[in-house]
Amino acid sequence: MTVVIGIGNPYRCDDGVGPAVADQLRRLSLPDVETVIADGEPVQLLDAWTGAELAIVVDAVLCDPAEPGRIHRTDIEGITSFPGATSSHGLGVPEAVLLGSALDRLPARLVVYAVEAACLDFGTDLSPPVTAAVPDVVAAVLDEIAKEKPCPPDPRSPN
């Protein structure tokens, strides 16, 4: 099973990038892919990704220096030492990874896509650079899923 977790609050402008990506993926009705929208609380993340072969997390981050809309990709090895970036939440993915490791509740493979935010004020609209990044994040997530589930051989082709 694959789970895509969109972290964020859609009522805090760019913090809604995770839910926006999850919503687009949910509309595709991908087989064997579950989409979850979460607020970033570590136990909620553990519940969402426990037992998954692949967990893909999409979240907004604040970076210094900032380049709103820039997309970062990391895996479980790099998540606790993501230089220059902080989650837009008090606790987040790094804490969930540490807790999941201690409790043996990590997915087989974890990939995180972090999108640099421009605005975390109250509001429902993503900023233009983050809006522009959403299709690229969706495409990147689809590529991750495709790598995990290679196409079956074509039965019409000779062995």
Side-chain angles (χ1 to χ4, degrees):
M1 174 193 64
T2 295
V3 62
V4 178
I5 306 167
I7 297 176
N9 182 342
Y11 300 104
R12 284 191 50 222
C13 294
D14 289 344
D15 195 41
V17 69
V21 169
D23 284 342
Q24 285 197 18
L25 291 164
R26 180 178 289 139
R27 282 184 250 154
L28 297 175
S29 299
L30 301 168
D32 299 319
V33 176
E34 180 182 351
T35 55
V36 175
I37 295 175
D39 63 10
E41 197 273 322
V43 173
Q44 190 180 33
L45 296 176
L46 294 182
D47 288 345
W49 71 37
T50 296
E53 288 298 313
L54 171 62
I56 302 169
V57 174
V58 180
D59 196 7
V61 292
L62 299 170
C63 293
D64 187 23
E67 187 181 316
R70 181 170 47 179
I71 302 164
H72 302 268
R73 181 199 180 278
T74 191
D75 57 21
I76 200 161
E77 288 81 24
I79 193 62
T80 56
S81 62
F82 190 19
T86 57
S87 174
S88 58
H89 318 283
L91 296 174
V93 179
E95 292 79 12
V97 167
L98 292 172
L99 183 60
S101 179
L103 298 175
D104 195 29
R105 290 187 61 192
L106 290 175
R109 191 163 78 91
L110 173 66
V111 176
V112 176
Y113 285 95
V115 181
E116 290 188 34
C119 176
L120 298 177
D121 294 339
F122 291 109
T124 56
D125 294 329
L126 300 175
S127 67
V130 172
T131 297
V134 169
D136 294 336
V137 177
V138 169
V141 169
L142 291 171
D143 286 346
E144 293 287 347
I145 293 168
K147 284 189 241 174
E148 190 70 19
K149 300 174 191 263
C151 295
D154 186 341
R156 299 169 293 175
S157 65
N159 293 342

